[in-house]
Amino acid sequence: MTEAILTAEGVSKDFPLPRSLSDRLAGRPARAVHALSGVTLEVRRGETLGIVGESGCGKSTLARCLVRLHEVDGGRVTYGGTDVATLTGAERRAFNRRVQMIFQDPYGSLNPRMTVRQILAEALSVHRMVPTARIPDRIAELLALVRLPSDAADRHPHAFSGGQRQRIGIARALSVEPEVLVADELVSALDVSVQAQVVNLLLELQERLRLTVVFVAHDLRLVRHISHRVAVMYLGKVVEVAPTATLFDDPRHPYTQALLHAAPSLDPGSRSRRAAARGELPSPIAPPPGCPFNTRCPHAFDRCPAEVPFLTSRGPDHVAACHLAAPRFESAR
Ligand SMILES: Nc1ncnc2c1ncn2[C@@H]1O[C@H](COP(=O)(O)OP(=O)(O)O)[C@@H](O)[C@H]1O
Ligand code: SF4
Ligand SMILES: [Mg+2]
């Protein structure tokens, strides 16, 4: 499970901010949200890679760059070793088919005027997945795969619950037989009990169909349950990547440590949810110099605001971007 199928190599993505009249009159330079700043990450064939981090840290932007819904401003995204920005024509269509994104809000992405049969038939015909005569059988197979009853085919999306709509979204993504699924906050909007069902379905499909899955979520418990490896993002950067058990048992980046410390307790009596770290998340318009975490880090020292730390090895298959050699998880757990 070591071959990289999809990679981000030094990927940067900025969103320019509209310039106000007063900015123009004062001659102030155009500003931008630095959503991603030099993200390097590999997705390996057959794995589920979890991506976690606080809201606004760039997870969705990275997911969209990986499926080429955004063009990158710097660096590159590769698929099977090829820079996806260079793909055109048939190659681009093949990439669009093999790397599928499933969204948080399937209601928004499922046409309310179409039945499930029409939605799936459309996906199957656009990519000419099966001969026309085979489409009804394939639709029945897809519904069975995501455990929806066969009579679901003739209903419209609004007739389904949130969890069922996610299953329709998954069936649509699977209809084109992808290699990679990028799931952005797939179950975040669902009730906890339904979340588990959809995540378990995804786990099962991943193993059965040998899919590669990028699972983006702010909920650490879901990510832990489903992922083989986890990448932690902070302010547009990947700050730590490790096999799941290692990341949760021996986190090395102070931000990962803070994130785990702040995760809601599994004890239902304790409803508190602490902030991931002291102080405010800095603005991605003007990220702090040096280590992006230096304004909130309990271990920060003089080198931190002066020098950007790069990802370096912390153990087998484990990297973190911190100037400290091996900060240990000191907070009370
Ligand atoms: N299309 C966009 N236009 C302008 N700013 C954006 C756009 N998409 C994301 N951003 C900004 O980029 C930053 C990262 O956002 P996002 O990738 O959605 O983070 P996350 O998914 O981790 O919450 C945020 O500051 C967000 O406001
Ligand atoms: S580089 Fe410095 S500020 Fe950044 S996480 Fe490490 S100790 Fe904290
Ligand atoms: Mg997001």
Side-chain angles (χ1 to χ4, degrees):
M1 235 183 13
T2 50
E3 181 204 350
I5 179 166
L6 191 61
T7 68
E9 297 173 9
V11 166
S12 299
K13 179 71 192 169
D14 292 342
F15 295 107
L17 289 171
R19 258 174 115 199
S20 67
L21 184 61
S22 60
D23 283 344
R24 284 167 200 269
L25 292 176
R28 280 192 284 270
R31 295 185 308 159
V33 174
H34 304 292
L36 298 178
S37 313
V39 168
T40 295
L41 187 64
E42 64 175 33
V43 185
R44 300 172 186 168
R45 188 182 292 280
E47 77 169 346
T48 297
L49 174 69
I51 299 184
V52 296
E54 276 167 290
S55 177
C57 68
K59 303 182 297 296
S60 295
T61 304
L62 177 60
R64 296 174 81 89
C65 287
L66 288 176
V67 302
R68 206 181 163 186
L69 279 173
H70 284 322
E71 301 293 340
V72 303
D73 293 322
R76 59 182 207 152
V77 169
T78 74
Y79 174 68
T82 306
D83 183 344
V84 300
T86 66
L87 300 175
T88 54
E91 282 180 341
R92 177 148 196 199
R93 282 194 297 280
F95 172 75
N96 290 346
R97 177 176 78 72
R98 290 193 190 120
V99 183
Q100 288 285 312
M101 180 136 175
I102 4 182
F103 297 91
Q104 170 172 7
D105 172 20
Y107 206 43
S109 64
L110 297 174
N111 186 335
R113 284 181 294 279
M114 286 164 79
T115 62
V116 171
R117 182 185 306 284
Q118 290 168 326
I119 289 168
L120 295 178
E122 184 184 64
L124 289 167
S125 359
V126 166
H127 289 282
R128 297 201 188 93
M129 296 307 297
V130 289
T132 313
R134 266 270 297 144
I135 287 181
D137 285 351
R138 184 65 183 138
I139 289 174
E141 281 168 20
L142 286 164
L143 292 176
L145 201 58
V146 298
R147 304 244 176 76
L148 281 172
S150 52
D151 63 1
D154 296 308
R155 290 189 269 152
H156 291 81
H158 63 77
F160 297 92
S161 67
Q164 288 173 323
R165 284 200 291 267
Q166 278 302 24
R167 288 168 195 263
I168 300 167
I170 294 172
R172 181 176 59 179
L174 294 179
S175 69
V176 298
E177 296 169 29
E179 288 184 294
V180 184
L181 279 186
V182 178
D184 186 7
E185 304 280 6
L186 180 69
V187 296
S188 302
L190 304 176
D191 289 345
V192 173
S193 58
V194 185
Q195 282 185 339
Q197 290 168 15
V198 177
V199 166
N200 285 334
L201 173 70
L202 195 64
L203 250 174
E204 184 194 310
L205 292 171
Q206 189 261 335
E207 283 173 12
R208 208 160 129 191
L209 306 174
R210 299 184 191 285
L211 293 167
T212 303
V213 177
V214 179
F215 188 84
V216 178
H218 63 273
D219 188 330
L220 288 166
R221 286 173 298 179
L222 290 174
V223 171
R224 182 176 199 167
H225 181 59
I226 199 171
S227 310
H228 299 110
R229 290 190 308 139
V230 176
V232 179
M233 290 187 69
Y234 184 76
L235 219 58
K237 285 185 158 49
V238 168
V239 297
E240 184 159 11
V241 191
T244 306
T246 310
L247 189 102
F248 280 86
D249 295 343
D250 188 20
R252 293 303 182 89
H253 194 283
Y255 176 64
T256 310
Q257 296 170 357
L259 203 60
L260 296 187
H261 188 56
S265 160
L266 291 175
D267 170 8
S270 150
R271 301 183 63 85
S272 68
R273 198 191 187 309
R274 279 169 287 195
R278 60 182 186 170
E280 293 283 305
L281 184 68
S283 163
I285 298 168
C291 172
F293 194 51
N294 79 70
T295 55
R296 305 169 85 188
C297 181
H299 306 286
F301 59 108
D302 51 2
R303 193 174 162 198
C304 302
E307 211 180 303
V308 178
F310 294 102
L311 290 170
T312 53
S313 177
R314 304 299 151 129
D317 209 20
H318 186 176
V319 291
C322 173
H323 291 309
L324 290 177
R328 291 279 173 186
F329 195 174
E330 289 166 0
S331 351
R333 249 206 291 199

Short mmCIF file of all heavy atoms in Angstrom, two decimals, residues 17-18 32 44 54 59 61 105 107 116 118 123 172 210 224 244 270 278 298 312 321:
data_model
loop_
_atom_site.label_atom_id
_atom_site.label_comp_id
_atom_site.label_asym_id
_atom_site.label_seq_id
_atom_site.Cartn_x
_atom_site.Cartn_y
_atom_site.Cartn_z
N LEU A 17 -8.81 38.99 -2.66
CA LEU A 17 -9.93 39.70 -2.03
C LEU A 17 -10.31 40.89 -2.91
O LEU A 17 -9.43 41.51 -3.52
CB LEU A 17 -9.51 40.23 -0.66
CG LEU A 17 -9.30 39.17 0.43
CD1 LEU A 17 -8.66 39.80 1.66
CD2 LEU A 17 -10.63 38.53 0.80
N PRO A 18 -11.61 41.19 -2.96
CA PRO A 18 -11.98 42.37 -3.73
C PRO A 18 -11.32 43.61 -3.13
O PRO A 18 -11.23 43.73 -1.90
CB PRO A 18 -13.51 42.43 -3.58
CG PRO A 18 -13.91 41.28 -2.75
CD PRO A 18 -12.71 40.53 -2.30
N ALA A 32 -4.98 38.86 -0.50
CA ALA A 32 -5.57 37.56 -0.83
C ALA A 32 -5.63 36.68 0.40
O ALA A 32 -4.85 36.85 1.35
CB ALA A 32 -4.73 36.88 -1.91
N ARG A 44 -1.98 7.30 -1.06
CA ARG A 44 -1.47 6.02 -1.57
C ARG A 44 -2.59 5.12 -2.03
O ARG A 44 -3.67 5.11 -1.42
CB ARG A 44 -0.68 5.33 -0.46
CG ARG A 44 0.48 6.17 -0.01
CD ARG A 44 1.14 5.58 1.21
NE ARG A 44 2.17 6.46 1.72
CZ ARG A 44 2.75 6.32 2.90
NH1 ARG A 44 2.39 5.33 3.70
NH2 ARG A 44 3.67 7.17 3.28
N GLU A 54 -8.92 22.56 12.04
CA GLU A 54 -10.02 23.47 12.36
C GLU A 54 -10.65 24.04 11.09
O GLU A 54 -9.99 24.14 10.06
CB GLU A 54 -9.48 24.66 13.16
CG GLU A 54 -9.34 24.42 14.64
CD GLU A 54 -8.52 25.53 15.28
OE1 GLU A 54 -7.31 25.61 15.02
OE2 GLU A 54 -9.11 26.34 16.02
N LYS A 59 -8.87 22.66 4.29
CA LYS A 59 -9.17 21.26 3.94
C LYS A 59 -9.97 21.17 2.64
O LYS A 59 -9.62 20.41 1.75
CB LYS A 59 -9.96 20.57 5.07
CG LYS A 59 -9.26 20.58 6.42
CD LYS A 59 -10.08 19.84 7.48
CE LYS A 59 -11.44 20.43 7.79
NZ LYS A 59 -11.41 21.78 8.39
N THR A 61 -10.33 23.41 0.32
CA THR A 61 -9.57 23.94 -0.81
C THR A 61 -8.60 22.87 -1.32
O THR A 61 -8.48 22.65 -2.54
CB THR A 61 -8.79 25.21 -0.40
OG1 THR A 61 -9.73 26.16 0.13
CG2 THR A 61 -8.06 25.83 -1.58
N ASP A 105 -23.18 18.22 1.08
CA ASP A 105 -24.60 18.46 0.93
C ASP A 105 -25.11 17.83 -0.36
O ASP A 105 -25.16 18.47 -1.40
CB ASP A 105 -24.85 19.98 0.89
CG ASP A 105 -26.29 20.28 0.55
OD1 ASP A 105 -27.14 19.38 0.72
OD2 ASP A 105 -26.56 21.40 0.09
N TYR A 107 -27.95 17.15 -1.17
CA TYR A 107 -29.20 17.75 -1.61
C TYR A 107 -28.90 18.86 -2.62
O TYR A 107 -29.60 19.02 -3.60
CB TYR A 107 -29.96 18.30 -0.41
CG TYR A 107 -31.43 18.37 -0.68
CD1 TYR A 107 -32.09 17.31 -1.30
CD2 TYR A 107 -32.18 19.47 -0.31
CE1 TYR A 107 -33.44 17.36 -1.56
CE2 TYR A 107 -33.54 19.52 -0.56
CZ TYR A 107 -34.16 18.46 -1.19
OH TYR A 107 -35.49 18.52 -1.45
N VAL A 116 -33.96 9.25 -8.85
CA VAL A 116 -32.67 8.60 -8.61
C VAL A 116 -32.24 7.84 -9.87
O VAL A 116 -31.07 7.86 -10.26
CB VAL A 116 -32.78 7.68 -7.38
CG1 VAL A 116 -31.53 6.82 -7.23
CG2 VAL A 116 -33.02 8.51 -6.13
N GLN A 118 -32.91 8.60 -12.96
CA GLN A 118 -32.40 9.54 -13.97
C GLN A 118 -31.00 10.05 -13.58
O GLN A 118 -30.14 10.21 -14.44
CB GLN A 118 -33.37 10.72 -14.12
CG GLN A 118 -34.67 10.31 -14.80
CD GLN A 118 -35.75 11.39 -14.70
OE1 GLN A 118 -35.84 12.11 -13.71
NE2 GLN A 118 -36.58 11.48 -15.72
N ALA A 123 -25.25 9.77 -15.05
CA ALA A 123 -23.82 9.54 -14.77
C ALA A 123 -23.30 8.38 -15.61
O ALA A 123 -22.19 8.44 -16.16
CB ALA A 123 -23.63 9.26 -13.28
N ARG A 172 -23.91 7.53 -7.00
CA ARG A 172 -23.62 8.27 -8.23
C ARG A 172 -22.11 8.32 -8.47
O ARG A 172 -21.63 8.13 -9.59
CB ARG A 172 -24.17 9.69 -8.16
CG ARG A 172 -23.90 10.45 -9.44
CD ARG A 172 -24.51 11.82 -9.47
NE ARG A 172 -24.01 12.64 -8.37
CZ ARG A 172 -24.38 13.90 -8.17
NH1 ARG A 172 -25.26 14.45 -8.98
NH2 ARG A 172 -23.91 14.58 -7.16
N ARG A 210 -11.71 -1.87 -3.39
CA ARG A 210 -10.29 -1.45 -3.35
C ARG A 210 -10.15 0.02 -3.75
O ARG A 210 -9.30 0.39 -4.56
CB ARG A 210 -9.43 -2.32 -4.26
CG ARG A 210 -9.46 -3.77 -3.85
CD ARG A 210 -8.53 -4.62 -4.70
NE ARG A 210 -8.77 -6.03 -4.46
CZ ARG A 210 -8.38 -6.68 -3.37
NH1 ARG A 210 -7.72 -6.05 -2.43
NH2 ARG A 210 -8.65 -7.96 -3.23
N ARG A 224 -10.51 8.93 12.84
CA ARG A 224 -9.77 7.85 13.48
C ARG A 224 -10.36 6.49 13.10
O ARG A 224 -9.64 5.53 12.85
CB ARG A 224 -9.85 8.04 15.00
CG ARG A 224 -9.07 7.00 15.75
CD ARG A 224 -9.11 7.29 17.23
NE ARG A 224 -8.05 6.59 17.90
CZ ARG A 224 -7.66 6.83 19.14
NH1 ARG A 224 -8.24 7.78 19.83
NH2 ARG A 224 -6.70 6.13 19.68
N THR A 244 -2.64 6.22 11.54
CA THR A 244 -3.66 6.70 12.47
C THR A 244 -3.32 6.42 13.94
O THR A 244 -3.39 7.32 14.78
CB THR A 244 -5.03 6.08 12.12
OG1 THR A 244 -5.26 6.37 10.73
CG2 THR A 244 -6.15 6.66 12.95
N SER A 270 -20.04 14.64 29.73
CA SER A 270 -19.19 15.82 29.58
C SER A 270 -19.46 16.44 28.22
O SER A 270 -19.14 15.87 27.19
CB SER A 270 -17.73 15.39 29.70
OG SER A 270 -16.92 16.23 28.93
N ARG A 278 -5.03 27.88 22.57
CA ARG A 278 -5.32 29.19 23.16
C ARG A 278 -5.28 30.26 22.05
O ARG A 278 -4.57 30.10 21.06
CB ARG A 278 -4.29 29.50 24.25
CG ARG A 278 -2.91 29.52 23.65
CD ARG A 278 -1.82 29.77 24.64
NE ARG A 278 -0.57 29.90 23.87
CZ ARG A 278 0.57 30.31 24.36
NH1 ARG A 278 0.65 30.64 25.62
NH2 ARG A 278 1.63 30.39 23.61
N PRO A 298 2.33 26.62 22.87
CA PRO A 298 2.90 26.72 24.22
C PRO A 298 4.42 26.47 24.26
O PRO A 298 5.07 26.78 25.25
CB PRO A 298 2.16 25.62 25.00
CG PRO A 298 1.64 24.67 23.98
CD PRO A 298 1.45 25.45 22.71
N THR A 312 9.60 16.97 8.76
CA THR A 312 10.77 16.10 8.91
C THR A 312 10.34 14.83 9.66
O THR A 312 9.32 14.83 10.35
CB THR A 312 11.91 16.78 9.70
OG1 THR A 312 11.36 17.27 10.92
CG2 THR A 312 12.52 17.93 8.92
N ALA A 321 6.03 19.13 11.13
CA ALA A 321 6.73 20.37 10.80
C ALA A 321 6.84 21.22 12.05
O ALA A 321 5.95 22.02 12.35
CB ALA A 321 5.97 21.11 9.70
#
